[in-house]
Amino acid sequence: MASDAETFIRGDWHPRDSSRSVPARLVQREGEIVAIADNDLTRLSVSSFATLDISDRVGSIPRRIQFPDGSLFETTDNDAVDRLLRANGRRNVGFIHGLEGFRPRLIAFVVGVFLLSGLVYRFALPLLVEVAVAVTPPVVPDLMSAGTMETMDRTILEKSALDDAKKRAISDGFARIAEKSARGASAYTLNFRKGGAIGPNAFALPDGTLIITDELVELAGNDTEMLIGVLAHEIGHVELEHSLRQIYRAAGMAGLIMLIAGDIGDSVEDLLVQGGGLLALSYSRSAEAAADRYSVELMDKAGYDQTAIARFFDIIEKKLGDTSETSILSSHPGTPERRKAILAYEAELRRKKAEN
C-alpha cells in the first residue's frame, strides 16, 4: 500500500496492448518506480528508473512513461515528470521543450527560416522558374489556359455585344500582326468578351489565347490601330513566356508558404492545372516593358504605326485620369513613363535603321 506522502505523479495506467485506462499514481520507493491503482492501491507495474522509457516534454502534450512489461503510464503533470527526471540524475527535458523555454533561441530559429526563404526567393526561385519554363511540355499551357478561360467565362466575362463590323476590323488587324510573330498566326486565337468587373482590358493566356473586352474597344473609339498595338503587346507576353514564368513563380511562392505555414490545400494544383491562379497574376514592370518593346517591333514588321500602343497610355491618362505609378488597369502597371519609354524606343529603332 502507498500513503499520500509517497504519491509522486497522478495519471492513467494502460495495460500492454490494451486501450483500458486505470486511474493511478506513480511513486518511487526503495529505488523502484511503482504504478499503483487509485481505487484499491494495487501494484500495477514496477520497474527500476533506468529501465523506463520516458517521452520528451513538448508543450502541454501528455507524457508517456513505458514500463519494461509493455504497460504505459500517461500523465499531464509535466512538471512532476521533470522533477522525477532530475531526482534521478537526468536534466535533459527534450530539445523541443528547450527551444520553447528559451525564447531567444526560438526567435533566432524563426528568423533563420525567413532569411533562408528570402535567399531561395531571390536566387534559387528565378533559376528554377527558367528551368521549369524550358522543360514545360505544350500540354501544360493548354491546360492552364483552358481552365482559366472556363473560369472567367463562368464567373466574370460575358458574351461580347460588339457589332460584326467592329469585330472583323480588329480581327483582320490581329491576323496581320500574328502572322509576323515568331509563332505565326496559327498559334493565336482572339476572343471578344464583355469585361464586367475587369473593365477595359486585354490579356493573353499562355497557349496564345487572347481576350479583348468590349469596354476597351469602346474606350479606343475609332482608333483600331491602337487596339492592334495593345494586342501586339499581349502577343509579346506569350512569345516571351511571361505567363508561364508568373505561374511557376506563384507556385514556388506557394511552396515557400507551405514550408513555413504548412499545407495550403489545392493551391499549387489550381495554379498548374486548373489555371484559376492566372486570374490573380500580374506582370512585373520588366515584363511589361519587354512586351511594350515587342509591340513596337511587331507593329513595325506588320506595317503599322510603331507607337500605336503609346496612344493607349495617353487615353488611360486623359480619359481615366491615371497619372500615378500604379495603373488603373489591375493587370497592367502602366505609367506615363511607360508611354515615354515606348516613344524613346521607337526613336532608337528609327535611328538605327537610318544608320544602316
Side-chain angles (χ1 to χ4, degrees):
M1 296 183 60
S3 67
D4 287 341
E6 293 174 312
T7 301
F8 201 92
I9 309 171
R10 293 188 180 275
D12 295 293
W13 177 84
H14 305 274
R16 179 177 182 177
D17 299 328
S18 173
S19 60
R20 184 167 64 92
S21 176
V22 178
R25 67 190 70 176
L26 207 65
V27 300
Q28 183 170 17
R29 57 167 67 149
E30 298 177 358
E32 293 183 323
I33 305 298
V34 185
I36 301 173
D38 279 345
N39 58 350
D40 57 8
L41 302 183
T42 301
R43 289 163 60 102
L44 302 171
S45 292
V46 60
S47 169
S48 65
F49 176 83
T51 60
L52 294 177
D53 183 6
I54 303 175
S55 64
D56 287 338
R57 181 169 184 167
V58 180
S60 59
I61 296 175
R63 303 287 277 281
R64 298 162 66 89
I65 301 173
Q66 189 162 7
F67 285 83
D69 62 6
S71 63
L72 189 70
F73 182 83
E74 192 172 56
T75 179
T76 58
D77 193 348
N78 282 305
D79 291 339
V81 175
D82 289 342
R83 288 194 296 270
L84 175 64
L85 289 168
R86 288 192 292 270
N88 288 273
R90 286 195 203 172
R91 298 191 177 277
N92 183 10
V93 296
F95 174 73
I96 299 297
H97 183 64
L99 286 177
E100 293 175 332
F102 187 36
R103 301 296 176 109
R105 198 175 301 173
L106 180 59
I107 292 172
F109 176 76
V110 172
V111 170
V113 169
F114 277 96
L115 285 176
L116 178 61
S117 300
L119 291 173
V120 170
Y121 176 80
R122 178 66 179 83
F123 299 105
L125 187 57
L127 177 61
L128 292 174
V129 166
E130 293 304 315
V131 172
V133 169
V135 301
T136 296
V139 68
V140 173
D142 291 345
L143 287 173
M144 289 182 191
S145 302
T148 300
M149 196 70 193
E150 179 185 354
T151 300
M152 297 190 75
D153 277 339
R154 187 175 65 251
T155 60
I156 302 174
L157 302 177
E158 299 177 18
K159 185 178 179 180
S160 173
L162 294 177
D163 63 71
D164 291 340
K166 195 69 172 178
K167 288 182 181 178
R168 187 164 52 253
I170 298 171
S171 296
D172 289 346
F174 175 72
R176 185 170 156 183
I177 59 170
E179 186 179 359
K180 298 297 182 180
S181 69
R183 301 189 185 190
S186 61
Y188 295 96
T189 304
L190 179 61
N191 297 271
F192 295 91
R193 293 289 190 276
K194 185 178 290 187
I198 292 179
N201 216 328
F203 48 93
L205 303 181
D207 70 338
T209 298
L210 274 71
I211 298 96
I212 187 170
T213 67
D214 291 4
E215 291 84 348
L216 180 57
V217 175
E218 292 166 4
L219 188 66
N222 295 321
D223 194 349
T224 301
E225 191 177 42
M226 185 205 78
L227 295 174
I228 303 306
V230 172
L231 294 174
H233 168 97
E234 297 303 331
I235 288 178
H237 281 311
V238 179
E239 297 280 336
L240 299 172
E241 297 180 317
H242 291 155
S243 294
L244 276 179
R245 286 182 172 83
Q246 288 296 89
I247 286 293
Y248 287 134
R249 180 174 290 277
M253 283 303 301
L256 285 177
I257 294 171
M258 290 174 66
L259 175 66
I260 297 171
D263 187 17
I264 58 172
D266 299 327
S267 298
V268 174
E269 180 184 356
D270 179 60
L271 284 167
L272 295 178
V273 181
Q274 299 302 323
L278 279 168
L279 302 179
L281 296 179
S282 60
Y283 298 116
S284 66
R285 285 192 173 275
S286 61
E288 290 291 0
D292 287 344
R293 292 191 295 271
Y294 189 91
S295 174
V296 172
E297 295 169 4
L298 188 58
M299 292 289 279
D300 181 46
K301 291 178 183 178
Y304 282 117
D305 178 7
Q306 298 161 271
T307 62
I309 191 174
R311 300 201 297 273
F312 167 70
F313 296 111
D314 190 49
I315 287 178
I316 294 301
E317 288 181 53
K318 292 178 179 177
K319 291 189 177 182
L320 300 184
D322 178 25
T323 58
S324 65
E325 294 185 359
T326 302
S327 174
I328 199 166
L329 301 181
S330 61
S331 64
H332 293 78
T335 64
E337 285 70 28
R338 250 176 99 181
R339 177 171 55 82
K340 295 175 183 177
I342 290 168
L343 296 175
Y345 185 63
E346 185 274 335
E348 179 184 346
L349 292 181
R350 188 163 17 94
R351 185 173 59 254
K352 288 181 178 179
K353 281 185 178 181
E355 291 174 354
N356 294 332

